[in-house]
Amino acid sequence: MAQVKLYSLNVNGMNVPQKRSQVYHILRRECADLVFLQETHYRHNHTPNMYSKCFPDWYHTTYSTAARGVSIGIGKYLPFTVTAKLVDTDGRYLFLKGQILNTAITFANVYVPNVGQIKWLLQTLDTLKEFASGILILGGNFNISMDHSLDSTSAGSLFSDKQLHRLKVALADMRLTDIWRLLHSGEKDFTVFSKVHGTYQRLDYFFVANSAIPAISNAVIGPMTISDHAPVYIEIRFQDIPSKTWSWRLNGTLLEDETHREQIKNVLLQYFSLNDQPDVSKPIIWEAHKAVVRGELISIGSKVKKQRTKLIDSLLLQISTLERTYKANQTPTLLSQLESLRSQLKDLLNIKTAKVLQALRFKYYSHGDKGS
């Protein structure tokens, strides 16, 4: 039995390569298998190449301007076969229907407008009801607090009890449950902070078909890091999904460090001094040295990765802890500290962006035209 992680995040724009790289890094770090993104800001016929070896398959809905937009990314290890899709031309929703092995399932990603939310949702739920088959998982940014007393710190709700009741009845009719609230009954946590109004709200959700609730093992609201929204993720158990495999590729940025180059040089000098003997053939010595170099590079890369991961983990822990404190006691000093930590995290993630851009330049050079 395998755990499949579904991850949802309002990214607040992904047109900039650095932002896409930050998002990819977070997704890889969180080991996400299927991703719901909102507010990608992709325009019609201007969708960037979503290059990521961990997420080879992407589906998008776009808009006429650099606003709105939702995307669903499918991880390379998730055996999800898409049989049908429904795309909103206004960039508000994207529905995918298919199978994970022998299980029929529908994924629905929505970005609800910030006016007329309930009317829009009721209409969209009717459309989704006609499209969906099998297990239904609905996620995204709903721009509405379902329970004002628990999901918001603002003084009053924008919606009447009658309006909210209509929406809850519609969700219940489709046998959908707010899975985070089910697993965290009575708990207060939020997914977005309004700096202008100084208020928190929970606007991002996963609604899961009641039949799939026993398979849900976790539902979490993460810290706000690279966006003004917090991510939400759930973990669901599936039978017979193949395990993930790993293959090594040279990280060229390791060779840019003088210390690493000197370390590899010393290893090679030691290797050839010990193995360059008359009774050992030159081809064997040459082939074996490649394994030695690769082992040393793996060791160096692992050490560098652990150091960077430790630093990222430390920053995420500090952000998460400070965020909880700020939710209870909103002071300018705490907000300034939070913004500083988030800026440090983005700078650290941008180091990874440099590696991605280098690989991209190499790809274009390898496949591009060259002078004779």
Side-chain angles (χ1 to χ4, degrees):
M1 183 174 290
Q3 295 272 15
V4 172
K5 178 181 278 191
L6 276 62
Y7 189 94
S8 177
L9 175 65
N10 181 316
V11 292
N12 194 21
M14 271 184 63
N15 281 310
V16 180
Q18 286 83 354
K19 183 64 172 288
R20 290 197 293 275
S21 181
Q22 290 171 7
V23 171
Y24 293 152
H25 184 92
I26 291 292
L27 296 180
R28 286 194 298 272
R29 186 187 177 281
E30 293 292 341
C31 300
D33 295 293
L34 190 132
V35 185
F36 289 10
L37 302 180
Q38 303 87 43
E39 276 203 273
T40 54
H41 295 176
Y42 295 156
R43 291 180 294 153
H44 296 327
N45 303 318
H46 288 83
T47 304
N49 180 21
M50 300 284 281
Y51 174 74
S52 171
K53 63 182 180 180
C54 295
F55 292 89
D57 298 317
W58 285 93
Y59 296 83
H60 310 281
T61 179
T62 57
Y63 190 52
S64 57
T65 63
R68 308 182 187 179
V70 298
S71 298
I72 296 179
I74 303 170
K76 69 176 181 178
Y77 297 110
L78 183 66
F80 177 51
T81 304
V82 177
T83 58
K85 66 177 180 179
L86 186 61
V87 175
D88 177 35
T89 55
D90 284 335
R92 291 289 184 185
Y93 65 73
L94 173 61
F95 305 154
L96 297 182
K97 179 165 57 177
Q99 286 193 322
I100 294 180
L101 300 178
N102 296 319
T103 303
I105 192 164
T106 300
F107 296 112
N109 184 11
V110 300
Y111 172 50
V112 180
N114 55 15
V115 292
Q117 292 94 315
I118 292 180
K119 181 181 178 181
W120 186 93
L121 273 167
L122 292 174
Q123 293 173 345
T124 304
L125 288 174
D126 285 339
T127 304
L128 178 57
K129 190 186 297 184
E130 293 292 324
F131 175 83
S133 65
I135 296 170
L136 174 58
I137 297 179
L138 168 65
N141 177 6
F142 285 70
N143 269 320
I144 186 171
S145 296
M146 300 297 293
D147 186 332
H148 185 74
S149 62
L150 292 175
D151 296 333
S152 177
T153 61
S154 61
S157 174
L158 296 174
F159 309 98
S160 67
D161 292 341
K162 184 177 179 180
Q163 288 177 307
L164 290 172
H165 179 71
R166 285 183 63 202
L167 178 57
K168 290 175 182 178
V169 167
L171 290 166
D173 285 345
M174 295 182 67
R175 295 177 173 79
L176 291 172
T177 297
D178 175 1
I179 195 64
W180 187 89
R181 176 55 64 205
L182 181 69
L183 298 181
H184 301 269
S185 179
E187 201 174 307
K188 278 193 171 187
D189 204 352
F190 313 100
T191 63
V192 65
F193 173 68
S194 171
K195 193 173 180 180
V196 175
H197 301 99
T199 58
Y200 277 99
Q201 289 181 291
R202 186 167 75 99
L203 305 179
D204 304 81
Y205 300 84
F206 270 114
F207 290 93
V208 176
N210 292 345
S211 60
I213 288 175
I216 302 294
S217 59
N218 203 7
V220 175
I221 294 174
M224 299 175 203
T225 53
I226 60 173
S227 173
D228 56 351
H229 283 247
V232 181
Y233 68 81
I234 62 174
E235 293 177 339
I236 181 169
R237 294 182 292 270
F238 281 95
Q239 296 280 2
D240 304 324
I241 291 181
S243 59
K244 300 177 181 179
T245 58
W246 178 82
S247 59
W248 179 79
R249 292 184 68 180
L250 172 64
N251 178 0
T253 58
L254 296 177
L255 302 177
E256 296 173 2
D257 189 294
E258 178 64 31
T259 305
H260 297 159
R261 292 200 300 269
E262 192 65 27
Q263 186 175 338
I264 294 167
K265 177 183 176 181
N266 292 334
V267 167
L268 284 174
L269 288 172
Q270 184 181 20
Y271 167 80
F272 283 112
S273 67
L274 292 173
N275 293 281
D276 192 6
Q277 304 296 331
D279 57 337
V280 182
S281 69
K282 299 297 183 182
I284 291 177
I285 294 174
W286 180 254
E287 291 301 322
H289 104 280
K290 297 176 185 178
V292 172
V293 171
R294 185 175 74 167
E296 189 64 24
L297 285 166
I298 289 173
S299 175
I300 294 171
S302 177
K303 182 180 178 181
V304 170
K305 184 177 180 180
K306 284 179 181 177
Q307 291 173 343
R308 187 172 64 244
T309 301
K310 185 178 180 180
L311 186 53
I312 290 173
D313 287 344
S314 174
L315 284 170
L316 286 171
L317 180 60
Q318 291 179 69
I319 290 170
S320 181
T321 303
L322 200 58
E323 209 169 64
R324 285 196 296 270
T325 305
Y326 185 72
K327 286 173 183 176
N329 180 27
Q330 296 177 23
T331 66
T333 302
L334 287 175
L335 181 60
S336 176
Q337 291 174 359
L338 255 179
E339 291 175 342
S340 175
L341 289 171
R342 287 170 181 155
S343 178
Q344 291 177 47
L345 178 63
K346 289 177 182 178
D347 290 341
L348 196 58
L349 294 178
N350 282 337
I351 295 174
K352 189 73 174 177
T353 305
K355 179 185 172 184
V356 173
L357 292 175
Q358 183 187 50
L360 194 60
R361 285 195 295 268
F362 176 76
K363 179 182 177 182
Y364 283 135
Y365 174 78
S366 300
H367 298 280
D369 295 331
K370 300 178 180 65
S372 56

